[in-house]
Amino acid sequence: MKKMRLGLSMRYHGYHVAAWRHPDYVPGCNVDFRSYRDIARAAEAEKLDMIFFADGVAVRGTDQPEGALSHDMRNAELEPLTLLSAIAATTDHIGLVATASTTYNEPFHIARKYASLDHISGGRAGWNVVTSWSDQEALNFNKTENLPREERYARAAEFVQVAKGLWDSWDADAFTYDKDSGQFYDPAKMHVLDHHGAFFNVRGPLNSCRTPQGRPLIVQAGASNQGRDIAAQHADVVYTVSQTVEEARSFYADLKARAAEFDRIDNAPLIMPGITIYTGATQEEAQARFDELQALIDPLAGLNILYTFCGDLSGYDLDGPVPEHIFEDKITIGSGLLAKAKAENLTIRQLYESTAAGFTGRYIIGTAETVVDDLQHWFETGAADGFNICPPLLPQGMDDMSRYILPELRRRGLFRTEYEGETLRQNLGLS
Ligand SMILES: Cc1cc2nc3c(=O)[nH]c(=O)nc-3n(C[C@H](O)[C@H](O)[C@H](O)COP(=O)(O)O)c2cc1C
């Protein structure tokens, strides 16, 4: 029976905007290695495929409405590759995936760092390829504004091609370490990339051996046509933010069809929509956990989340309708939000409340049975190969997975009881 793939998204210790105001949130955990380590180990004890850190290279929030920025927990975190390198040393099986920007990095740096993480972890590294979308990031990299989308994606496409080329610098058996002859490597098995393109000139080769996974896993997150094309050609896993099963099925079908155009039929990318789960022993308990966090939402923080996707809505009645114009020219991931606002006739307050509950992603409130019914439905009807679990609050959200969700998934034969392989690629069943 086909098994569901499951990852744990760990950023900010929670995907509820008010996670940090919860009584159980430990101040300082955002920069406390031991806290991340313990959550990663708990996820590994449950045989999850991977942990994931999303990332940005700036304080990306804007102080809109005024004062909002200082109410936002997303201002201080650890650099994810450094963090994953440390976690690699204290875990043995779980996949280690982090975002790195193609807009504000050089391919050689990224290829080298992820190759190193793949070696350090014994074949568990994954790179979430993103294009950076904020002007705040531009300001940290000698620019006054972000690159236009077309250019960002053209750069991203070439960036991935170069990184893959660098990872192919060496055959697996290139390094002979032949002490008798004095030859360290076989020159016939070293390949100089010598790339010349619109954005990058990179000679190579990479100063590393071929990595345990052949190359680190490539994950892609970005829903536009350009993003999907990169995913179809290069990604092993795709993260999405689909809100409804119909939207997810259409994305799934589209991406698998695009992958087929690159002759990727059996090895098409695995698609893992994000989901935030509120659960408990009973429906009432699950609802109470949700309500407890919702009651902690600061309206300033709520409007601030919407600002990224919709612009400044502070001039509108919070209990009035969401204005129509806001999604024009906005990034694609915002369009699902508008669809939801329209379909459910939401007010601005309701939109930010529903957005705050999963940082714009989909959320669900229910017992193990109802949550797993939902996941199974998506999994078995062509909407998902698995899920990127984005808990409302950590480590509590991982405890809830262990106590409620994973036993039910296993009871139905939907999730593994042991890791099947040594590397992330093997555990995901990828070639
Ligand atoms: C599920 C998902 C996860 C993402 N994670 C990150 C991230 O960690 N860091 C980042 O800078 N951008 C992230 N992005 C943003 C995308 O890379 C991209 O810039 C954005 O979605 C706009 O492009 P699009 O119109 O193709 O969606 C993410 C997007 C999605 C859909």
Side-chain angles (χ1 to χ4, degrees):
M1 185 178 182
K2 194 177 121 188
K3 301 286 187 219
M4 199 179 271
R5 310 298 172 192
L6 291 179
L8 180 73
S9 220
M10 288 175 57
R11 199 177 189 191
Y12 306 127
H13 282 75
Y15 275 70
H16 191 289
V17 70
W20 73 275
R21 299 183 73 193
H22 191 278
D24 291 344
Y25 177 95
V26 180
C29 66
N30 50 334
V31 288
D32 180 359
F33 167 66
R34 287 161 305 177
S35 172
Y36 293 106
R37 176 199 63 195
D38 292 349
I39 298 165
R41 283 182 176 164
E44 181 169 82
E46 288 292 358
K47 324 292 178 204
L48 295 199
D49 289 283
M50 54 198 171
I51 54 171
F52 166 56
F53 287 93
D55 191 49
V57 277
V59 165
R60 288 195 286 200
T62 44
D63 202 27
Q64 298 281 351
E66 202 181 329
L69 196 56
S70 65
H71 291 224
D72 188 344
M73 69 174 171
R74 296 172 294 175
N75 292 317
E77 59 192 331
L78 293 175
E79 191 287 311
L81 267 187
T82 316
L83 175 57
L84 285 182
S85 303
I87 291 177
T90 64
T91 53
D92 294 309
H93 303 286
I94 197 157
L96 308 169
V97 181
T99 290
S101 167
T102 57
T103 315
Y104 301 113
N105 274 299
E106 287 286 325
F108 195 94
H109 281 133
I110 293 303
R112 185 179 188 211
K113 288 179 188 178
Y114 282 84
S116 295
L117 181 63
D118 209 40
H119 284 294
I120 291 167
S121 64
R124 296 185 282 137
W127 168 35
N128 180 36
V129 175
V130 304
T131 59
S132 298
W133 44 266
S134 78
D135 286 339
Q136 285 82 350
E137 286 161 299
L139 296 174
N140 290 339
F141 295 91
N142 313 306
K143 294 193 163 52
T144 52
E145 58 182 21
N146 200 12
L147 304 178
R149 182 212 292 260
E150 290 296 331
E151 196 177 331
R152 271 185 349 241
Y153 270 109
R155 183 182 159 101
E158 191 180 326
F159 196 118
V160 175
Q161 201 191 335
V162 174
K164 282 174 82 174
L166 288 169
W167 287 327
D168 282 339
S169 293
W170 303 92
D171 293 350
D173 57 353
F175 289 86
T176 50
Y177 309 100
D178 190 336
K179 293 185 184 180
D180 293 336
S181 73
Q183 195 176 64
F184 197 69
Y185 70 86
D186 177 350
K189 295 180 175 173
M190 187 260 271
H191 311 286
V192 178
L193 179 64
D194 210 13
H195 172 89
H196 297 281
F199 296 90
F200 304 109
N201 291 298
V202 181
R203 191 190 62 160
L206 196 65
N207 47 350
S208 178
C209 303
R210 189 167 196 89
T211 81
Q213 294 189 96
R215 60 170 169 77
L217 208 76
I218 294 187
V219 182
Q220 196 277 343
S224 60
N225 269 322
Q226 299 96 319
R228 292 181 197 204
D229 280 340
I230 291 177
Q233 194 174 352
H234 301 291
D236 299 297
V237 168
V238 177
Y239 292 147
T240 76
V241 286
S242 304
Q243 296 284 346
T244 65
V245 69
E246 292 80 20
E247 188 191 332
R249 275 190 210 125
S250 134
F251 181 92
Y252 188 101
D254 178 74
L255 203 82
K256 301 271 177 178
R258 285 178 201 239
E261 285 174 27
F262 292 98
D263 288 331
R264 301 184 62 194
I265 312 272
D266 296 331
N267 65 341
L270 299 171
I271 298 178
M272 297 175 62
I275 181 150
T276 300
I277 298 171
Y278 296 84
T279 190
T282 60
Q283 182 69 33
E284 292 69 35
E285 200 179 305
Q287 186 67 43
R289 295 205 181 170
F290 176 77
D291 293 342
E292 186 182 16
L293 279 163
Q294 291 294 90
L296 296 171
I297 301 173
D298 179 336
L300 266 182
L303 283 173
N304 183 255
I305 303 190
L306 291 187
Y307 183 83
T308 311
F309 304 100
C310 319
D312 185 4
L313 300 182
S314 62
Y316 295 88
D317 177 6
L318 289 189
D319 297 308
V322 178
E324 286 277 336
H325 68 269
I326 54 172
F327 283 83
E328 286 160 22
D329 301 328
K330 292 287 164 188
I331 53 183
T332 316
I333 48 175
S335 57
L337 282 182
L338 179 62
K340 182 179 166 124
K342 274 196 179 139
E344 298 175 20
N345 223 359
L346 299 183
T347 64
I348 293 175
R349 190 191 304 276
Q350 287 166 331
L351 182 62
Y352 80 57
E353 281 181 355
S354 73
T355 306
F359 264 138
T360 76
R362 183 169 85 101
Y363 66 88
I364 180 166
I365 308 165
T367 59
E369 201 174 14
T370 49
V371 170
V372 172
D373 280 350
D374 177 281
L375 301 184
Q376 186 170 9
H377 181 58
W378 280 51
F379 182 60
E380 290 179 348
T381 63
D385 295 310
F387 296 90
N388 181 29
I389 308 290
C390 304
L393 174 67
L394 280 168
Q396 289 75 2
M398 187 57 226
D399 296 343
D400 287 345
M401 287 296 291
S402 300
R403 193 168 310 146
Y404 303 112
I405 307 300
L406 290 161
E408 182 61 22
L409 282 169
R410 292 200 172 104
R411 200 181 63 72
R412 301 187 195 186
L414 290 166
F415 191 64
R416 69 159 67 82
T417 49
E418 288 302 330
Y419 286 109
E420 297 83 10
E422 296 292 317
T423 67
L424 173 57
R425 214 169 262 291
Q426 287 165 356
N427 284 323
L428 289 172
L430 298 166
S431 56

